[in-house]
Amino acid sequence: MKRTLYLKFILGYLIFGFFGFVVVATFISNMTFDHVQKTRAEALYNEATEIANSYAQDLYSNQTSLDTVQSQLKALAAYTDSTIWIINPSGRMVLDSSMPIDIEHERIIEGFNSTITAGSYYTTGTFFDSFDEEQLSVFAPITHKYKVQGYVVIHLSMTTIHEQASSLLNISYILLAILFILSLIILIFFTEIIYVPLKKIIRATEQYASGNMHYEFSVESEDEMGYLAASLNYMASEIARAEDNQKKFVANVSHDFRSPLTSIRGYLDAMIDGTIPAELHEKYLNIVLNETDRLTKLTNSLLTLNNLNTKGVVLEKSVFDLNTMIRNTAATFEGSCRNKRIAIELVLTGETMLVEADLGKIQQVLYNLLDNAIKFSHHDSIIKIETTEKKSKVFLSVRDNGIGIPKDDLKLIWDRFYKSDLSRGKDKKGTGLGLSITKEIIHAHGEHINVISTVGVGTEFIFSLPVVDNDED
């Protein structure tokens, strides 16, 4: 799939710049021009009104001369960069700030009409064809004895207004350019903070999708992007670990099934072709029977572990005497203990110890622990089973004087199919599932199981169960 997120972001950035320019060139330009025009018109109108109420009114009331008013108008025209007229209602020019006084040559504004402003105080255009270029023309009536005697008209070239509007518009363009640069900084931040980490994450997901779960990457960030990368890394490591466990699982299952099957086939072939004489058939058939028992045990362990994974540990709790269960379970190992001359010592608290748990599963736990203890104990040794009651809990301990577990293996013994090198050298009949099942069962009861071991000294497993108060007697 083509990745276009960054290109879309850049395209959006360019579109922002383009439409920003269009807005400034059209809407902002028109608004600026209208604002400048109205502002200048208002200023000129105030000036025209001031002239009409002072110099022009004095002129019409014969309190001042044309020359005096003319000189005043020239000064004001130079100050406002405009042309100031005083005209009669008929359109006859009285004074023009841009021209000297000429009484002999009368000047008439053809078609003059004071209503040209259409209710406003200014108009634009050539003012009845009096100018070659457009002007902003402002009217202010001159009143004397309650009659309009004339008008003060101030003309300002529209070129001046356009220039002023353009200078203000340039400020808008500069602001737009500044915003464009600032948005470029945002784009750079987006690239470094979001896009680059996102590319790393995409690259990682592609590697994971192709099956490379050992691919590692890092995103140096404390925000959600960093958290996402860390979570993805953790997920991949867990999947890789699961895959490694699966490969190990298949290898161990293959090994544990292949060994007894090879033995069974070898002995049966030897008996069929006469390599093993008939008088020894019973001996080797017993060996074959033991191997089939081993396969049955491995199969049952796999089924048990599979049920724990798919359904969880379904407990059928009841109140039972833990001491009785311990005695009964220990009795089942009488034959194994006799063969290795091992004694089982029971140190139990009280005559009875009532607990609430799943009797069958706790018995399976004790069976697995005793089986391991006998398997890895030396001949002529003692296995001690002890119970200790503390704060509504009973702690059951199974301690042997066997080969022990290496320190580096202690955290791994709970893994499925795990067998330490010592255990493989001592006895290859184990499935590596017993302790994994044991841990699942104890945790399902909401309790804990721990192990203490020293190589060459022995191993002790301890787990807890809730005690039931017996207040009936």
Side-chain angles (χ1 to χ4, degrees):
M1 182 179 67
K2 189 176 180 181
R3 297 179 292 275
T4 59
L5 177 62
Y6 192 62
L7 293 178
K8 288 178 180 179
F9 201 82
I10 293 178
L11 181 61
Y13 171 74
L14 295 176
I15 290 175
F16 165 76
F18 172 75
F19 278 103
F21 175 80
V22 170
V23 169
V24 171
T26 54
F27 298 105
I28 302 299
S29 176
N30 293 333
M31 292 172 62
T32 302
F33 178 78
D34 291 341
H35 173 73
V36 171
Q37 179 175 278
K38 290 180 179 179
T39 301
R40 292 303 300 271
E42 184 176 358
L44 293 177
Y45 177 74
N46 292 334
E47 193 68 35
T49 302
E50 186 68 25
I51 294 172
N53 293 333
S54 56
Y55 308 125
Q57 196 173 65
D58 292 343
L59 179 64
Y60 277 91
S61 61
N62 297 321
Q63 295 180 9
T64 186
S65 63
L66 287 174
D67 291 333
T68 302
V69 176
Q70 176 73 354
S71 62
Q72 295 291 339
L73 293 184
K74 282 184 177 181
L76 291 172
Y79 176 74
T80 58
D81 192 24
S82 61
T83 302
I84 303 176
W85 289 355
I86 296 179
I87 60 178
N88 288 336
S90 61
R92 183 175 65 85
M93 183 72 66
V94 176
L95 287 175
D96 184 350
S97 63
S98 63
M99 298 179 66
I101 299 174
D102 187 1
I103 300 176
E104 295 181 356
H105 297 85
E106 188 177 70
R107 182 180 169 190
I108 303 295
I109 305 301
E110 298 294 339
F112 173 74
N113 186 354
S114 61
T115 61
I116 190 176
T117 58
S120 180
Y121 51 83
Y122 71 92
T123 184
T124 59
T126 58
F127 200 75
F128 304 102
D129 298 327
S130 300
F131 297 92
D132 294 331
E133 61 179 10
E134 286 194 342
Q135 303 286 319
L136 172 66
S137 302
V138 178
F139 282 78
I142 305 169
T143 59
H144 180 64
K145 295 181 180 181
Y146 306 105
K147 290 184 180 181
V148 176
Q149 302 295 329
Y151 297 93
V152 175
V153 183
I154 301 180
H155 304 287
L156 179 65
S157 174
M158 293 296 292
T159 300
T160 303
I161 295 177
H162 280 294
E163 290 175 354
Q164 186 176 355
S166 296
S167 64
L168 293 177
L169 193 61
N170 289 336
I171 297 176
S172 299
Y173 282 118
I174 293 173
L175 290 176
L176 177 63
I178 293 174
L179 288 176
F180 198 68
I181 293 173
L182 290 177
S183 61
L184 179 61
I185 295 175
I186 296 175
L187 179 62
I188 294 173
F189 270 98
F190 169 82
T191 302
E192 293 298 325
I193 297 176
I194 298 180
Y195 183 68
V196 171
L198 189 60
K199 281 190 68 177
K200 291 182 179 180
I201 293 174
I202 292 174
R203 173 64 178 166
T205 55
E206 290 174 343
Q207 290 293 318
Y208 299 151
S210 64
N212 182 15
M213 290 299 169
H214 295 281
Y215 179 82
E216 295 183 357
F217 72 104
S218 63
V219 174
E220 302 298 331
S221 177
E222 299 295 331
D223 55 13
E224 290 82 356
M225 194 64 70
Y227 179 77
L228 175 61
S231 299
L232 193 62
N233 256 329
Y234 177 75
M235 179 197 72
S237 65
E238 289 298 309
I239 294 176
R241 180 183 175 187
E243 287 184 347
D244 292 341
N245 289 338
Q246 184 181 21
K247 292 177 182 178
K248 185 178 179 181
F249 174 88
V250 173
N252 285 329
V253 169
S254 299
H255 174 271
D256 288 332
F257 270 94
R258 184 171 58 247
S259 296
L261 288 174
T262 301
S263 298
I264 292 172
R265 182 178 180 84
Y267 290 133
L268 292 178
D269 287 340
M271 285 187 286
I272 291 174
D273 61 19
T275 303
I276 297 176
E279 61 270 17
L280 296 178
H281 281 189
E282 182 177 357
K283 172 185 176 182
Y284 287 99
L285 284 175
N286 286 329
I287 296 175
V288 169
L289 184 61
N290 288 334
E291 291 297 299
T292 58
D293 288 340
R294 179 182 170 192
L295 287 174
T296 301
K297 182 179 179 181
L298 176 60
T299 303
N300 290 336
S301 297
L302 288 173
L303 290 174
T304 300
L305 199 59
N306 182 65
N307 289 332
L308 295 182
N309 289 338
T310 57
K311 301 178 182 178
V313 182
V314 180
L315 301 178
E316 296 180 3
K317 289 186 177 183
S318 62
V319 177
F320 61 90
D321 180 17
L322 181 64
N323 291 347
T324 300
M325 187 272 291
I326 293 173
R327 294 188 185 97
N328 293 338
T329 305
T332 62
F333 288 92
E334 181 179 350
S336 300
C337 291
R338 184 184 303 111
N339 293 334
K340 296 183 70 172
R341 298 188 299 278
I342 293 174
I344 298 179
E345 179 183 355
L346 303 181
V347 182
L348 307 179
T349 302
E351 289 296 323
T352 61
M353 177 63 65
L354 297 181
V355 296
E356 184 178 8
D358 188 313
L359 173 59
K361 288 184 171 57
I362 296 301
Q363 190 170 17
Q364 183 180 3
V365 168
L366 182 59
Y367 184 93
N368 289 340
L369 296 179
L370 268 176
D371 186 47
N372 281 342
I374 294 171
K375 187 184 304 179
F376 300 118
S377 289
H378 301 295
H379 285 71
D380 300 310
S381 61
I382 296 176
I383 296 174
K384 185 177 182 180
I385 302 176
E386 182 178 2
T387 60
T388 306
E389 184 179 2
K390 292 181 182 179
K391 297 181 180 180
S392 301
K393 297 278 187 182
V394 59
F395 295 87
L396 194 155
S397 165
V398 178
R399 183 170 65 236
D400 63 57
N401 297 295
I403 61 176
I405 303 171
K407 183 178 180 182
D408 294 337
D409 293 342
L410 285 177
K411 293 183 179 180
L412 304 175
I413 61 173
W414 309 107
D415 294 345
R416 300 168 189 179
F417 289 102
Y418 180 77
K419 296 180 182 179
S420 68
D421 292 336
L422 289 178
S423 71
R424 285 191 179 276
K426 185 71 176 176
D427 190 337
K428 295 180 183 291
K429 293 183 179 180
T431 64
L433 296 174
L435 290 179
S436 178
I437 294 173
T438 295
K439 182 180 179 181
E440 294 283 350
I441 292 174
I442 296 300
H443 283 184
H445 282 79
E447 302 296 332
H448 299 280
I449 182 168
N450 298 308
V451 59
I452 303 170
S453 184
T454 303
V455 174
V457 177
T459 303
E460 180 181 13
F461 286 91
I462 307 170
F463 66 90
S464 60
L465 290 173
V467 175
V468 176
D469 292 332
N470 187 7
D471 298 331
E472 294 179 359
D473 296 338

